[in-house]
Amino acid sequence: MGVRLHVWGERACFTRPELKSERVSYDVPPPSAARGILEAIHWKPAIRWHIDRIHVLKPIRFQSLRRNEVGAKASAALAARGMAAGRTDGLGLNVDDHRQQRAATILIDVAYVIEAHFTMTEKAGSGDTPAKHISMFNRRAAQGQCFHRPCLGTREFPAEFALLPEGAPLPASDHPAGSVDLGWMLHDIDFADGCTARFFRAKMEDGVLTVPAADSPDLAA
Amino acid sequence: MMAAHRPGPLEALVGYYNRMDDAEEPGWSLEKIGWCIIIDRDGQVVDVLDCHDRNGKKPAPRLLPVPASIKRTVGIAPNFLWDKTSYTLSRTAGTGKRTAQEHAAFVAFHQAQLNGTNDAGLVAFLRFLENWQPDRFNAEPFRSEMLDANIVFRLDGDDDYLHRRPAARRLAERVRETADTRTVFCLVTGERAMPARLHPSIKGVDGAQTAGASLVSFNLDAFCSYDHKQGDNAPTSEGAAFRYGAALNRLLTRNGPNRVRRPVGDATVVFWAEADDPQAARNADDWFQEALHPSVADAGAARAIGDELDAVARGLPLSQLRPDIQPGTRFHVLGLSPNAARLSVRFWQSDSLDAFARRLAAHYDDMRMEPSPWARPPDVNLLLAKTVALQEKFENIPPLLAGEVLRAILAGSPYPRSWLAATLMRLRAGDDPATGWHAAVLRAVLRRARRGANRSDKGDIPVSLDRDYPNIGYQLGRLFAVYELAQRAALGPGVKASMRDRYFGAASATPAGIFAVIIRNGQNHLANVRKKKPGWAAVIEKELEEIFGRIIPAGPLSLPRSLPLEHQAEFAIGYYHQRRERIGGPAGAVADQDAPDAADTAETEE
C-alpha cells in the first residue's frame, strides 16, 4: 500500500559516496535517503520500505560551506572493552586532537514528495497486517510524530514533513520540465550482502525520479 | 527530446579524457622534468641535457610523459626510471637526512625490477646505478641547479628517453600490476572492473600541496562507512580513477586554455566543452574564457563578446552567432578549493553552453549602470576586488563569497545577500561610492533578489537617474549627493574630510540623525555659493527642492530613523546616479564650469 509524504527543508546534503571527505551532494535525494525519512516516522522489523518515486518540487540550487568536524570515530572495540570492564575512561574523543576542516557543497531550499510502499518481511508476526502498519504510518505522519527527527541526508539538516492524504493533489512544483540523466546514483546499501552499495541510472522526467525496485535488473552492485 | 545529461564531476572528467586526442596512456603521467642524464653503454655519464622550456620569462620544467608517479606521503618510494635527485643521485639541496636511504631504495627497486633484462639501455642504467658515487655530482657536467629537480635518463646515441624504450614500457606495465583481481561495480562508468584503492593526485590547484592533493580520498576514520577501507567506500574502477585524474591534471595546466586565469577567491576554476570535434570544443572553451574574463588587452574582442552576449540575452542561440560553435554544446565548470592534502568541490555546473551564455548575459545586464563605471564588463575577480576587498587587493576577497558569486553567475541564481552586506560595509569603511562599482553590484543583487521572489510589483531599479523612482533610500541618496555638490561648490574640491568621508555611512544607515546636520551645514554652504556663483546656487536649490518634494511626507523631521540594508543599497545607487548627472540642463554650462567630477570621470574611463 502506498504512501505519499511531502518533505522540505532549508538545506540538504545527499552526499555522493566518491566525494564524501569533502562532501558534494547529489542533485536529488537517492532512495536510501528517502527511506531513512520514512523510517524515522514509522518502521518495525515486520516491514520494509520501498521508494517508488521522488518528486522534486523546487529548482536545484547549491551552496558551499566549510565546517570544523572531527576526523575520528568513536571506537566500537573500545566501547565493548569498556562495557566488559565497567569503565568509561579512554572512550571519549577530544575535539582538539581530531579537528578537521571540511567543506561541503550542499543543496538549499529543497522540497520533495516521496512516494513509497512497504512489504512485509519474514519477521512479521501474526498480529502484523499491512492495514495496521499503513494506518500507523498515516496517523503518525499526520500528527507529526517520529521516532527520531527525519533529516535531509545528514543529521544537521532536519526535514519538515506533512502527509499527503489519499486523493490530495501534489503540491505545486517550480522545477523546470524536461528530462535529465543524472548518471549513476546510490540506490541503497545491501545490508544482507556485506554492506554492498547498489547503484542505478538516475533519470528524472519533469522533476520526477522513478526508482527501480530492489530486485530490478537495472540495479548494479 | 533527448535527455540532458547532467553527470557528476568524475563522470564528466572521464568523458573529457575519452575525447582527449593526446591522452596519456594508463600507467603514465605527465611530470615536470628538469634534466636528462645521458649515459653510455657502460653506465658512464656522458652529458647532462637541460629539459627546461626557456621560451618564457623564467625557465619552466618541461612536462614529459613518464611511468606514473608513486603516491608518496611520508614513506620512501622510488619512481620507475625517473625521480628527483635525492633518489636518483643521492644529492639534495635540503638537509638531506634521508637522502642515502632514498637513493638506496631507488637502486634496490631498479635492481629488482630490471633483474634479468638484456635490453642495452636498461643494462646500462643498472651499471650506472652500481657505479654511481654521489661525489661525482661535484664535477662537470653536473650543476647545482639540478638539485631536487626530476631527472630522466637517455642512452647515448638513442633519440628517446630510457623509460620510453619498448623494454622499459613493458616493465612499467608490470610494475603497475597488482595482485588485486577482484572486480567491483564502478560508480563512474557503470562497468565492473578492478577497484582503485588510492585515487590519483591532482596537481595545480592553487593553495593545495604542491605534491598534489586528492579529490577522492578516505584518509581518516570519519570518512569511512560500514567498515569499508580506502577506495571501497566509493567503488571506482582503477581505469576511471586514472582517467579522471589525467583529465583533471591536464585541465589544470597553468596558463592552459581550460583554466580561469586567476583563482576566484580560493577556488581554482576549470571548464571544458563536450563536443565530438576537438576544434569545436576548443572554440567553445575560448569563447567561454573570453566571456567570463574579457581581455583587457584586446578591446575589439571584448566588444565583440559584449555584442554577442547582448544578442544571446535577446534570445538568439550562440551557435547562430558563432558558426564555429556546435549547437547544443554541453559545457562543464568545476571550481576546486584546496584543503591541505584534499581538494573540495567548491562548485560544479554542467549545462549547455547556451545556458551559460544566457546567464553571463543576464549577469552583465543586472550590473548595467548609466553612466557606466567601466569601459568593458569586468571579470568577477576585479568586480569582487573593487567592491568587497580591503584595499582592493585580490588576496583580500573573502573566498567563500567569491565562490558563491561565481556560482550565482554561472547558475543564474540570486547573488548571495552577503555580497550586498559586504559591499555596504566597504562603503561605510570609506570606499568611494562615486566610482559606481558598488552601486552596480548593489543594483544587481537587489534586482536579482526581486526577480527570484517574483516581486515584479516593486518595479525595476533604474539604470540611470530616475527622479520619479519612489524609494526613500534612493531619494535620500540623491539628496546627499546634491548637498555634497553644494559643499564642493562652497569650499572647493580640496576639502580634507568631505561630507562623504564623514557622513556617507551614517546618512545611509540612520538618516534622521545625520541629515539634520547635513541640512544645517548645507544651508551655510549654499549661502556661500550664492555669493560666489548665484546661478549655480539656484540650480542646486532647485534640485534640492525637487527632491524634498518627493520625500513624503516632506520635511527633515519625518526622515526615517534607520534604513534596512536594501534601502541602504538604494541610497548608494541614488547617490551614484545623482552624482553623475549633469544638473542644470542647457544651463549646465554653470555646472560644467565647476563640475568637480571632471577628474573622476577621466579616471574611470581609463
Side-chain angles (χ1 to χ4, degrees), chain A residues 16-24 26-27 60-66 70-73 100-106 175 177-185 189 191 194-201 203-205 220-221, chain B residues 1-11 184-190 192 215-228 233-236 266 337-339 342-349 400 404 407 413-414:
Chain A
R16 287 175 181 272
E18 72 273 27
L19 297 170
K20 72 176 181 176
S21 303
E22 305 286 321
R23 286 193 177 109
V24 178
Y26 279 121
D27 293 22
I60 293 161
R61 279 175 57 197
F62 284 93
Q63 197 174 55
S64 42
L65 46 88
R66 206 171 251 241
V70 290
K73 285 197 282 200
Q100 275 292 312
Q101 194 164 62
R102 292 170 74 181
T105 299
I106 61 168
H175 192 274
S179 66
V180 182
D181 176 358
L182 296 169
W184 291 96
M185 178 184 262
I189 306 285
F191 294 97
C195 292
T196 318
R198 308 225 279 162
F199 293 85
F200 74 111
R201 191 85 195 181
K203 291 204 175 91
M204 193 162 59
E205 295 284 337
Chain B
M1 201 179 90
M2 213 182 70
H5 189 194
R6 198 155 67 204
L10 298 192
E11 196 183 337
V184 293
F185 168 82
C186 172
L187 57 69
V188 178
T189 59
R192 288 200 75 88
L215 184 57
V216 180
S217 68
F218 305 93
N219 58 347
L220 287 169
D221 284 351
F223 309 153
C224 299
S225 309
Y226 305 115
D227 282 338
H228 289 320
N233 280 283
T236 314
D266 66 350
S337 294
N339 192 358
R342 300 195 297 266
L343 296 178
S344 68
V345 174
R346 188 43 73 73
F347 49 81
W348 166 242
Q349 292 285 332
L400 263 182
E404 292 302 304
R407 184 209 309 285
S413 56

Side-chain angles (χ1 to χ4, degrees), chain B residues 250-270:
Chain B
R250 181 69 66 90
L251 291 169
L252 280 166
T253 310
R254 255 170 229 287
N255 302 321
N258 294 86
R259 179 185 174 127
V260 174
R261 282 160 210 156
R262 182 191 281 278
V264 179
D266 66 350
T268 300
V269 183
V270 293

Side-chain angles (χ1 to χ4, degrees), chain B residues 371-419:
Chain B
S372 181
W374 41 70
R376 60 190 77 86
D379 77 82
V380 58
N381 266 313
L382 187 58
L383 193 62
L384 286 162
K386 288 271 195 184
T387 56
V388 295
L390 196 65
Q391 297 169 322
E392 298 190 4
K393 282 187 181 155
F394 287 111
E395 63 264 31
N396 290 338
I397 298 172
L400 263 182
L401 177 62
E404 292 302 304
V405 168
L406 188 56
R407 184 209 309 285
I409 295 170
L410 295 175
S413 56
Y415 297 111
R417 201 182 131 91
S418 50
W419 200 11

Side-chain angles (χ1 to χ4, degrees), chain A residues 72-83 85-95 97-98:
Chain A
K73 285 197 282 200
S75 153
L78 274 181
R81 214 174 300 154
M83 279 170 80
R87 296 152 54 124
T88 58
D89 46 306
L91 285 186
L93 283 184
N94 186 0
V95 178
D97 300 339
H98 301 283

Side-chain angles (χ1 to χ4, degrees), chain B residues 116-380:
Chain B
T117 184
N118 48 17
D119 179 79
L122 297 179
V123 168
F125 186 63
L126 275 178
R127 287 198 188 130
F128 162 78
L129 290 177
E130 280 158 22
N131 298 337
W132 175 255
Q133 298 296 327
D135 295 342
R136 170 76 180 81
F137 188 83
N138 298 334
E140 285 290 315
F142 294 101
R143 297 173 236 176
S144 57
E145 302 119 81
M146 290 173 65
L147 285 175
D148 295 326
N150 283 323
I151 307 282
V152 292
F153 297 87
R154 178 184 287 183
L155 186 64
D156 194 22
D158 217 351
D159 52 1
D160 210 346
Y161 300 108
L162 209 57
H163 60 262
R164 296 179 60 90
R165 291 174 72 90
R169 285 161 168 265
R170 275 196 299 279
L171 280 170
E173 256 157 58
R174 203 184 70 193
V175 169
R176 209 164 52 81
E177 271 171 22
T178 59
D180 204 342
T181 49
R182 132 193 107 94
T183 63
V184 293
F185 168 82
C186 172
L187 57 69
V188 178
T189 59
E191 289 153 6
R192 288 200 75 88
M194 207 173 81
R197 203 180 81 83
L198 294 178
H199 283 243
S201 291
I202 309 298
K203 291 172 195 175
V205 174
D206 282 288
Q209 289 177 358
T210 42
S214 295
L215 184 57
V216 180
S217 68
F218 305 93
N219 58 347
L220 287 169
D221 284 351
F223 309 153
C224 299
S225 309
Y226 305 115
D227 282 338
H228 289 320
K229 301 265 181 323
Q230 293 293 359
D232 290 347
N233 280 283
T236 314
S237 64
E238 186 79 49
F242 169 79
R243 291 200 289 269
Y244 89 73
L248 189 49
N249 277 321
R250 181 69 66 90
L251 291 169
L252 280 166
T253 310
R254 255 170 229 287
N255 302 321
N258 294 86
R259 179 185 174 127
V260 174
R261 282 160 210 156
R262 182 191 281 278
V264 179
D266 66 350
T268 300
V269 183
V270 293
F271 52 86
W272 66 98
E274 204 177 300
D276 304 325
D277 170 23
Q279 187 55 45
R282 217 147 24 234
N283 293 338
D285 292 341
D286 292 347
W287 186 88
F288 184 80
Q289 175 83 272
E290 188 62 36
L292 186 69
H293 192 118
S295 56
V296 182
D298 190 349
R303 198 168 312 115
I305 289 277
D307 292 345
E308 279 164 17
L309 283 173
D310 283 344
V312 167
R314 288 197 304 273
L316 273 176
L318 190 60
S319 50
Q320 207 164 320
L321 299 160
R322 292 283 300 265
D324 54 346
I325 292 176
Q326 276 179 4
T329 302
R330 296 288 303 174
F331 206 77
H332 311 283
V333 188
L334 175 65
L336 294 172
S337 294
N339 192 358
R342 300 195 297 266
L343 296 178
S344 68
V345 174
R346 188 43 73 73
F347 49 81
W348 166 242
Q349 292 285 332
S350 175
D351 219 319
S352 73
L353 184 58
D354 269 318
F356 281 113
R358 274 198 305 278
R359 291 169 195 161
L360 280 172
H363 164 65
Y364 291 128
D365 184 53
D366 280 336
M367 287 196 308
R368 206 152 56 84
M369 246 320 154
E370 296 292 341
S372 181
W374 41 70
R376 60 190 77 86
D379 77 82
V380 58

